[in-house]
Amino acid sequence: MFSKQIPIMYTMVVVNTIALAYTHASLTPAWLGIYIPAVLVSIAVLRTFRYWRVGKIGISAQQARQQLRQTIVLAGVLGSVFSFWALALFPYGTAQTQGHVAFFSGVTCLGIMVCLMHLRVAAFVLAVAAVGPTAIFLIFLGPSESVAVGFNLVIVSVAVLCILSRHSHHFGELISNQKELKDTLLRAHKLSKENELLANTDSLTGLANRRRFMSELDHRLSNAAGRDERFAVGILDLDGFKPVNDIYGHIAGDRLLIEVGQRLSELDSGTFIARLGGDEFGLILTGDLSDTDLQSTGDRICEMIGKPFELDSFTANIGGTLGLAQYPDAGTTAKELFEHSDYLLYVAKERSRGKAILFSEKHRSEIQETTGIKRCLQEADLEKELSVNFQFVVDSITGVPVGAEALARWTSPTLGIVSPDSFIKNAEQVGMINEITEILLRKSLDEALKWPGDLFVSFNLSAHDIGSSRHIEKICDIVKNSELPAERLTFEITETSLLLDLERANSTLHRLKGLGSKVALDDFGTGYSSLSYVQKLPIDRLKIDRSFISDLEENRASQAVVKTILDLCGNLGLDCIVEGVETAAQLAALRDLGHMKVQGYFFSKPLPGYDALTYLKMLPVSSWDASLSA
């Protein structure tokens, strides 16, 4: 604001000086009427140009202070020079020209003082250096008219200075308030930036968080739109992190996540890394990568994670499974790319754990099929469409059934028969698994109630089942309301279902045991800590995984594992069931190892309820006595 008023001030001085010089040019010597005003006008023009230039380019605070000091000095010097020059013209000419001189001196000085209202010191200096001499000269000139003009000039100048002083004070407060406001805005902006950083940063690893990842993905999509650019979205999940967390504690788990984040940060600078939550990380890989290049990069990332991590008190050996979806082949929106890479991670966990897997048209077909299954599940009449098949468990010596495992079946009017693996995992994803479990449990208990003897029925529970206390309440109610004795019911669980929350699982299993039911650990021998589960959990029965049976007759290692588990069960008083028996040779090899219960296609394929009952009724009555004694 002040830099704009100065050029106006000099412009007024130039105009008035030229006007005064013009009226006296013919009355005064050339040096007084032409040369001196020419020099003064030149100085004013140069100062005007300089202030105009400063207003265009801007200056620093220190330069501004220097300019203001120069203005104060020049106000005194130039004010005195202009004043004495004007008074030097007074003796020349007529009363009219003398009046012009007085007018020039008074009006010009007052105008300059107004222009200097934001620089109070300069206004006071000008009043002393210019107005003062002019007023004194007029007062002592003699005529009453001159004395009146001189006093009037003094009075008006004092009044103007008082007004300017007050205005300057208010202006100073305004500047101070503006500065405080600016400082407040700067602090608020800085705080906003800090909050934005915190809101977009994972507090543990220092990497970007899920929110920042999705924002970056949207940004990459915006940049790539309309251009022939490609990039890939990856979701990386750690294999074996949960055991580290459970065995060594959360501090060690956090330390491991930090180390993983640091190791991922060593990737190419063009790779965007984020921690999405838990032990899951997101990646955005840039560059026109071919499928081969992308697969190679993904494999390198998994190998990087697979190298041992040297922590404070132990070495952590984990792995990494990676799903990669490339733009635009796998999707053109953030939702598509993220969901497709997440689906690939799920697939890789099932089929090629510890490796990278790329999105393909095959996966697109699978996703479309999965979408259809989810939609049909949500529209299904589950009570009508769900059913249960039973695969019998028999005594390895007598071959007589002692129980059966209940297996879920779904026949959709739209899709036909859907495999259990497909509809169970999709039911988990859409939040329907608990409802399905309750329906299947009631149907299983109703069918088992029709069986002769004391045959048990095994029913599978997933991680979603044992992780919900409200759902377990309903399961307990179903068992209590059933006429089948709870002692004939066995709940089967897998190690995977225990990994999510061992403490909650332990509490749930004790609750189920409180009903009188039994608990079986399925797929025993394949997990990292199966023995610790036997020790910590209320287990009644172990089911040896079918992977040990496929080559049992030739593989001594498999025979040794089965024999060891049999001995363990004998020592701990646990039942033992061997799954996957399909040939007479496998059964003979098992009989050589000891007495157990077996299950597999050699004895019975999964049978619908009516066929299962028919199968049992066809057995001779004496066989039931044999099964009971067994």
Side-chain angles (χ1 to χ4, degrees), residues 369-542:
E369 178 184 351
T370 296
T371 303
I373 292 174
K374 290 178 180 177
R375 184 177 62 252
C376 288
L377 269 174
Q378 292 169 329
E379 298 172 353
D381 182 352
L382 295 178
E383 284 285 352
K384 180 180 178 181
E385 298 174 19
L386 288 174
S387 61
V388 183
N389 281 8
F390 298 93
Q391 187 174 40
F392 285 100
V393 178
V394 305
D395 184 277
S396 64
I397 302 300
T398 65
V400 175
V402 293
E405 179 181 359
L407 302 169
R409 295 293 184 266
W410 177 38
T411 303
S412 166
T414 304
L415 303 175
I417 297 175
V418 184
S419 70
D421 288 343
S422 295
F423 81 78
I424 291 296
K425 69 181 180 181
N426 283 288
E428 290 176 345
Q429 293 173 6
V430 297
M432 297 180 63
I433 188 61
N434 291 349
E435 180 185 0
I436 289 175
T437 296
E438 293 164 15
I439 293 173
L440 292 174
L441 179 58
R442 283 195 295 268
K443 289 178 179 287
S444 299
L445 296 178
D446 291 343
E447 288 296 331
L449 190 60
K450 303 174 185 176
W451 298 346
D454 292 329
L455 276 73
F456 69 80
V457 58
S458 290
F459 188 84
N460 292 280
L461 295 179
S462 70
H464 294 268
D465 293 321
I466 66 176
S468 169
S469 57
R470 184 177 179 182
H471 176 55
I472 291 299
E473 281 280 356
K474 293 185 178 180
I475 287 178
C476 291
D477 290 340
I478 292 172
V479 175
K480 291 175 183 177
N481 294 330
S482 171
E483 295 181 20
L484 184 79
E487 293 77 10
R488 290 179 58 187
L489 174 61
T490 299
F491 289 102
E492 290 191 15
I493 57 172
T494 63
E495 183 175 335
T496 304
S497 65
L498 300 174
L499 281 173
L500 296 179
D501 191 334
L502 183 59
E503 185 176 344
R504 178 183 288 273
N506 189 28
S507 174
T508 297
L509 297 184
H510 274 96
R511 190 162 185 190
L512 296 176
K513 288 272 291 183
L515 298 171
S517 302
K518 294 181 174 58
V519 175
L521 183 58
D522 200 6
D523 301 333
F524 185 78
T526 58
Y528 82 96
S529 59
S530 296
L531 288 176
S532 68
Y533 291 143
V534 174
Q535 179 186 7
K536 296 176 182 178
L537 300 174
I539 303 296
D540 300 290
R541 181 175 294 155
L542 299 181

Side-chain angles (χ1 to χ4, degrees), residues 234-240 279-281 283 298 301-303 305-306 318-324 341 344-357:
I235 299 182
L236 173 73
D237 188 77
L238 304 183
D239 304 318
D279 60 343
E280 197 170 78
F281 294 82
L283 302 91
I301 292 172
C302 292
E303 289 173 6
I305 301 302
I318 61 172
T321 302
L322 178 63
L324 289 165
S341 56
L344 289 176
L345 175 64
Y346 183 86
V347 171
K349 284 282 190 180
E350 287 189 332
R351 305 175 189 173
S352 53
R353 185 179 291 264
K355 297 182 179 179
I357 184 170

Side-chain angles (χ1 to χ4, degrees), residues 121-143:
V121 176
F124 275 95
V125 169
L126 180 67
V128 174
V131 177
T134 302
I136 293 172
F137 176 82
L138 293 174
I139 291 171
F140 288 97
L141 185 62

Side-chain angles (χ1 to χ4, degrees), residues 117-402:
M117 67 173 69
H118 300 305
L119 191 58
R120 182 172 48 183
V121 176
F124 275 95
V125 169
L126 180 67
V128 174
V131 177
T134 302
I136 293 172
F137 176 82
L138 293 174
I139 291 171
F140 288 97
L141 185 62
S144 58
E145 295 84 359
S146 298
V147 173
V149 172
F151 277 112
N152 185 259
L153 184 59
V154 171
I155 293 171
V156 173
S157 298
V158 170
V160 170
L161 287 174
C162 290
I163 295 173
L164 294 183
S165 178
R166 179 174 296 179
H167 180 83
S168 179
H169 175 73
H170 292 322
F171 180 74
E173 289 182 344
L174 176 63
I175 295 298
S176 178
N177 291 337
Q178 286 181 338
K179 184 177 183 303
E180 290 180 3
L181 178 60
K182 183 178 180 181
D183 291 342
T184 301
L185 291 175
L186 287 174
R187 287 194 298 269
H189 180 71
K190 182 180 179 182
L191 183 61
S192 175
K193 286 291 185 182
E194 291 175 353
N195 290 336
E196 182 181 359
L197 181 63
L198 290 174
N200 289 283
T201 303
D202 176 57
S203 59
L204 178 63
T205 62
L207 298 173
N209 60 13
R210 187 185 192 92
R211 176 184 177 185
R212 176 73 179 87
F213 180 81
M214 298 307 297
S215 175
E216 180 67 21
L217 182 52
D218 287 334
H219 177 69
R220 299 288 178 99
L221 285 168
S222 297
N223 288 343
R227 304 178 187 176
D228 190 20
E229 293 183 4
R230 298 169 66 85
F231 63 88
V233 175
I235 299 182
L236 173 73
D237 188 77
L238 304 183
D239 304 318
F241 172 77
K242 186 70 166 57
V244 173
N245 220 26
D246 289 343
I247 296 172
Y248 297 100
H250 292 291
I251 294 178
D254 289 347
R255 181 61 188 165
L256 178 56
L257 290 173
I258 293 172
E259 292 289 337
V260 170
Q262 291 176 349
R263 192 171 289 186
L264 289 174
S265 298
E266 296 173 2
L267 293 170
D268 182 84
S269 58
T271 302
F272 184 84
I273 311 293
R275 182 187 173 212
L276 303 179
D279 60 343
E280 197 170 78
F281 294 82
L283 302 91
I284 301 179
L285 296 86
T286 55
D288 189 10
L289 300 172
S290 65
D291 288 348
T292 302
D293 294 335
L294 192 56
Q295 181 68 60
S296 176
T297 301
D299 291 340
R300 181 164 56 88
I301 292 172
C302 292
E303 289 173 6
M304 175 190 300
I305 301 302
K307 294 178 181 178
F309 288 86
E310 299 296 336
L311 302 180
D312 295 336
S313 57
F314 69 99
T315 299
N317 291 286
I318 61 172
T321 302
L322 178 63
L324 289 165
Q326 193 167 26
Y327 170 87
D329 300 338
T332 56
T333 67
K335 184 175 182 292
E336 282 183 326
L337 291 170
F338 188 85
E339 288 182 350
H340 288 177
S341 56
D342 190 52
Y343 174 79
L344 289 176
L345 175 64
Y346 183 86
V347 171
K349 284 282 190 180
E350 287 189 332
R351 305 175 189 173
S352 53
R353 185 179 291 264
K355 297 182 179 179
I357 184 170
L358 305 185
F359 186 85
S360 66
E361 287 303 313
K362 172 189 172 185
H363 298 125
R364 191 184 300 278
S365 300
E366 291 177 358
I367 291 173
Q368 291 172 349
E369 178 184 351
T370 296
T371 303
I373 292 174
K374 290 178 180 177
R375 184 177 62 252
C376 288
L377 269 174
Q378 292 169 329
E379 298 172 353
D381 182 352
L382 295 178
E383 284 285 352
K384 180 180 178 181
E385 298 174 19
L386 288 174
S387 61
V388 183
N389 281 8
F390 298 93
Q391 187 174 40
F392 285 100
V393 178
V394 305
D395 184 277
S396 64
I397 302 300
T398 65
V400 175
V402 293

